[in-house]
Amino acid sequence: MKCRVCRGPAVIDVRRHNANFCGEHFLRHCREQVARAIKGHQMLEPGDRVLVAVSGGKDSLAVWDILVELGYEADGLYLGLGIDGYSPESERFARAFAESRGLSLEVVDLPSDYGYDIRSAARAAKRVPCSACGLSKRHLFDEAAGRGGYDALATGHNLDDEAAVLFGNVLRWQAEYLGRQKPVLQAGEGFPRKVKPLVRLGEREMAAYCVLRGIDYMVEECPMAQGNRHIGYKEALNSIEERSPGAKHSFYFGFLDRAADLFVPPEEERTPIGTCVRCGAPAGSDVCAFCHLLERAGGHLPCDGGDMPVELGRSVPESR
Ligand code: SF4
Ligand code: ZN
Ligand code: ZN
């Protein structure tokens, strides 16, 4: 097996590209794919300040590393979810990476800063844990990006993630979600620009990238992921990809090229967005979904430190 570029011994094959690479040229391939995604989807401009949502896993550490390598000013934000046996370890990986590279990492901890954790919030709000978690992450990452004056918020979603989400949304024809499934969502209505620079790279490539770059990452999955529908979608797509390399890429990028715009609602049909009376975040009603979750989970905003008042109107799920 020889490297496509230098003909030296290859360390990885990327069947989707029908190519093998040595370590050096594989790293270059990863950076090129990210640069191509950024340019092709107008995710970032040179010199942009980026906040990276960091989980301590391979994808978020890799995207942070690549953005810095490409010359962006990129800081990290780690969100502690209060999940025993997972959160403390993943925080250690995030901190160690930032320290080893001299990068700035902000840590927000749900139990100590907001008085709740994902397990108890999910129970109290009668949501599945991943739904309470997703809502918390969206709110707190958006808030931090705005507070820090960043040009964009970057996440480590890779091609496997995006193809699996698309697969699930297509299976149920969830038009509203399909309309938001682009790798870049422009800033607006109080939300920051959101970008997914890894959409041209798969899960296996990200693991190999971390190994070759000497990045230690949290290998164990979050225990709440068990039973998550997306794992089943990923397995289904992996078995298709096995027989037909490139299928995931064609599925996802074909959707972006040919169909994604059809699902974006026209301006006049969009729900008007106001401001949450409690925390000031964009909200579809008086109180945002995050403040409702806090209320049910017995949590508090960092400035409150106390109990939330009991009732305040219906919440509309945050839409991005
Ligand atoms: Fe959050 Fe669910 Fe992911 Fe765990 S698996 S980090 S609970 S979204
Ligand atoms: Zn080579
Ligand atoms: Zn709020």
Side-chain angles (χ1 to χ4, degrees):
M1 198 164 92
K2 288 189 174 145
C3 171
R4 170 158 96 177
V5 185
C6 68
R7 311 306 297 162
V11 296
I12 184 166
D13 63 316
V14 184
R15 287 179 69 205
R16 186 171 75 256
H17 292 294
N18 200 14
N20 308 317
F21 295 100
C22 69
E24 180 193 336
H25 290 119
F26 176 69
L27 294 175
R28 194 175 84 181
H29 159 80
C30 291
R31 288 183 204 116
E32 282 171 358
Q33 292 298 316
V34 170
R36 197 168 155 193
I38 289 174
K39 191 158 180 239
H41 298 281
Q42 288 135 30
M43 294 184 187
L44 301 171
E45 295 290 329
D48 271 357
R49 284 183 68 236
V50 186
L51 181 66
V52 182
V54 177
S55 69
K58 62 184 185 325
D59 303 302
S60 61
L61 295 180
V63 74
W64 195 3
D65 188 62
I66 295 174
L67 288 174
V68 171
E69 288 284 304
L70 291 176
Y72 294 99
E73 190 186 330
D75 298 333
L77 174 67
Y78 173 85
L79 183 61
L81 305 170
I83 300 173
D84 293 344
Y86 174 71
S87 297
E89 287 77 1
S90 53
E91 181 179 335
R92 264 201 298 280
F93 283 105
R95 283 188 187 274
F97 174 80
E99 232 163 75
S100 71
R101 306 287 206 264
L103 297 170
S104 159
L105 177 73
E106 183 186 353
V107 173
V108 173
D109 187 61
L110 291 185
S112 47
D113 297 328
Y114 288 86
Y116 76 99
D117 62 77
I118 291 302
R119 247 185 247 272
S120 56
R123 258 197 311 269
K126 299 191 172 61
R127 285 170 173 259
V128 291
C130 294
S131 156
C133 180
L135 196 166
S136 305
K137 283 178 179 167
R138 282 193 298 278
H139 179 91
L140 293 168
F141 284 127
D142 287 357
E143 190 269 333
R147 173 164 44 82
Y150 289 93
D151 297 300
L153 172 66
T155 54
H157 294 98
N158 60 40
L159 175 61
D160 294 60
D161 298 323
E162 292 305 287
V165 171
L166 175 61
F167 192 53
N169 289 339
V170 167
L171 278 180
R172 292 181 170 70
W173 289 112
Q174 287 175 302
E176 189 199 346
Y177 294 148
L178 287 167
R180 295 200 299 266
Q181 217 187 322
K182 295 190 174 185
V184 56
L185 291 175
Q186 292 304 338
E189 297 176 316
F191 292 103
R193 190 190 329 151
K194 294 180 185 178
V195 300
K196 297 175 181 173
L198 297 186
V199 284
R200 298 187 61 85
L201 292 161
E203 207 138 272
R204 184 168 156 266
E205 289 151 273
M206 296 334 299
Y209 180 88
C210 286
V211 170
L212 289 166
R213 287 283 291 164
I215 298 173
D216 280 335
Y217 61 89
M218 179 82 177
V219 176
E220 288 76 29
E221 288 279 336
C222 170
M224 306 292 175
Q226 281 169 5
N228 186 318
R229 276 203 294 255
H230 285 118
I231 295 182
Y233 298 151
K234 274 190 181 177
E235 285 167 2
L237 287 173
N238 283 345
S239 104
I240 296 170
E241 181 81 16
E242 183 62 34
R243 289 185 198 98
S244 173
K248 278 183 213 175
H249 181 104
S250 310
F251 176 52
Y252 177 66
F253 286 98
F255 167 78
L256 291 184
D257 288 346
R258 296 178 204 168
D261 285 337
L262 302 174
F263 293 94
V264 177
E267 194 76 45
E268 60 277 11
E269 283 177 23
R270 295 189 200 160
T271 319
I273 298 281
T275 304
C276 172
V277 295
R278 290 187 186 171
C279 71
S285 67
D286 290 354
V287 175
C288 74
F290 177 72
C291 284
H292 267 295
L293 181 72
L294 273 186
E295 182 182 326
R296 295 207 183 103
H300 56 78
L301 292 169
C303 50
D304 290 348
D307 294 337
M308 304 285 290
V310 189
E311 177 3 351
L312 282 155
R314 191 177 65 92
S315 84
V316 170
E318 285 164 19
S319 60
R320 319 183 353 149

